[in-house]
Amino acid sequence: MRHIVTVQEAVTAFADFMEPTNAELDAIEQEMPVILAGVDLVDAQIIALDRTPNEVDNRRIRRARRRVLAARRELANQTAGASLPGGAA
């Protein structure tokens, strides 16, 4: 019996397109406050999973949600204020 296997991993393992571009890295860096606020929210929710959430847990989750919303708002304001390519507004 002859097995047919793919060699795509061997061919594309070191391809240039596998690495993020500078523009992608800049976009990730710009979105980092939103990402970190989301991580804080998930952490607060995980803490509350093991037990019945008390008032401190509820406050922690509410604060984390507000931080996520604030970070998203700031990101939206930054991208809305950026000029479009070609000078169009």
Side-chain angles (χ1 to χ4, degrees), residues 22-58:
N22 287 336
E24 291 170 334
L25 290 173
D26 290 341
I28 292 170
E29 186 175 334
Q30 187 175 8
E31 294 175 9
M32 191 55 68
V34 177
I35 294 168
L36 294 175
V39 169
D40 289 342
L41 175 59
V42 171
D43 286 344
Q45 291 170 336
I46 288 171
I47 290 171
L49 281 177
D50 291 341
R51 58 179 183 266
T52 304
N54 56 26
E55 186 59 31
V56 173
D57 293 331
N58 289 331

